[in-house]
Amino acid sequence: MLQTPSGGAGNGAAADTGLMSIGAVLNMLREEFPEVTISKIRFLESEGLIEPQRTPSGYRKFSGGDVERLGHVLRMQRDHYLPLKVIREHLAAMERGEAVPLPVLGRPGDAEAGDESASDGPTAARIGRGQLMAAAGVDERTLAEWESYGLLTPVEDGVYDAEAVTVAGLITELGRSGIEPRHLRAMKAAADREAGLVDQVVAPLRRHRNPQTRAHAEARTKELAALTVKLHAALVQSALGVRLP
């Protein structure tokens, strides 16, 4: 459970209202969600999943309830791989006072086991093409354009890794600032090179005879991935001469 600070300038909260800046919210969420970004929070706001207050000058101010709601949304994405449309409907039902369980989505092998509903939902780590377009709010033509630039690639016919939802959301938000998909090819190429470097380091662990060593490979991959993301962010900030909150 996320803990909401009681206020004070040190954490970005207004002492008289208890409202927090987006930077303070980001710091709170990163304890549980280390990969969350300000862009991600803004994207979820643009999708209507949160509605922070605005100051007269336009700055976002988040309440403790907003932070709890954000945490709930991020958990549904991380743990259940739910598309935004489903999350939005779930939250709306909760606001109406309905006792609604989280949707049960298909997992690998469900269809073979005779579960007819399995074909309608993503697997534990996969999402269908239609669900991806619904979550990102784009049509077939837009998704095809993204694929043509290598920004999104299905893991198999019509099926994507669940992280594709986050990628699609960020592409959409960058597009609102005039950064088109064709401009992002260099970023994708850099990400592929970084991933290749991590794979190169972890490969000996994956090939090891000891099962525990092979299991350690996944944890090591996540650790190195987090470090490369932080380094990439620091390099971009340094190149631009700015510092993100």
Side-chain angles (χ1 to χ4, degrees):
M1 179 70 67
L2 294 168
Q3 298 298 317
T4 304
S6 58
N11 55 32
D16 57 336
T17 64
L19 298 179
M20 292 162 277
S21 68
I22 194 170
V25 172
L26 180 68
N27 289 334
M28 291 179 63
L29 291 172
R30 275 184 169 166
E31 182 176 349
E32 183 178 353
F33 309 98
E35 303 305 321
V36 72
T37 63
I38 285 180
S39 293
K40 175 74 170 182
I41 296 174
R42 289 172 176 164
F43 171 68
L44 293 176
E45 178 190 0
S46 71
E47 293 296 315
L49 292 166
I50 53 169
E51 296 182 4
Q53 299 181 35
R54 292 276 187 161
T55 67
S57 54
Y59 290 101
R60 296 171 177 85
K61 290 297 179 181
F62 296 78
S63 67
D66 291 328
V67 179
E68 291 292 342
R69 185 179 175 94
L70 267 171
H72 192 47
V73 169
L74 293 170
R75 285 185 205 97
M76 285 192 282
Q77 286 190 308
R78 180 194 64 192
D79 301 338
H80 301 276
Y81 300 96
L82 298 177
L84 295 185
K85 179 181 178 182
V86 174
I87 293 175
R88 191 181 296 109
E89 293 172 350
H90 179 76
L91 293 175
M94 290 179 60
E95 290 172 350
R96 292 192 298 268
E98 300 176 12
V100 287
L102 284 174
V104 178
L105 301 178
R107 295 179 178 274
D110 283 350
E112 289 80 354
D115 184 354
E116 294 180 357
S117 65
S119 60
D120 295 330
T123 70
R126 303 290 168 86
I127 186 170
R129 189 176 186 85
Q131 292 173 314
L132 175 58
M133 289 189 291
V138 300
D139 55 20
E140 178 70 37
R141 180 177 179 180
T142 300
L143 180 55
E145 180 187 13
W146 294 349
E147 291 178 328
S148 71
Y149 290 114
L151 301 175
L152 286 170
T153 305
V155 293
E156 56 185 85
D157 188 25
V159 179
Y160 299 77
D161 186 281
E163 190 65 21
V165 175
T166 300
V167 173
L170 293 172
I171 294 173
T172 299
E173 185 162 350
L174 287 169
R176 296 191 184 108
S177 298
I179 300 178
E180 300 176 11
R182 59 189 176 89
H183 299 142
L184 302 176
R185 286 180 295 184
M187 296 178 66
K188 178 61 166 62
D192 288 341
R193 288 194 296 270
E194 292 166 8
L197 180 60
V198 171
D199 280 338
Q200 183 179 348
V201 172
V202 178
L205 297 177
R206 290 181 176 144
R207 295 194 297 265
H208 203 279
R209 292 182 178 180
N210 189 325
Q212 292 183 337
T213 302
R214 293 198 301 270
H216 177 63
E218 181 178 358
R220 185 61 174 162
T221 299
K222 292 180 179 179
E223 177 185 353
L224 291 175
L227 289 172
T228 57
V229 168
K230 290 180 180 179
L231 175 59
H232 183 86
L235 291 173
V236 171
Q237 291 179 66
S238 177
L240 293 173
V242 299
R243 183 172 181 81
L244 297 177

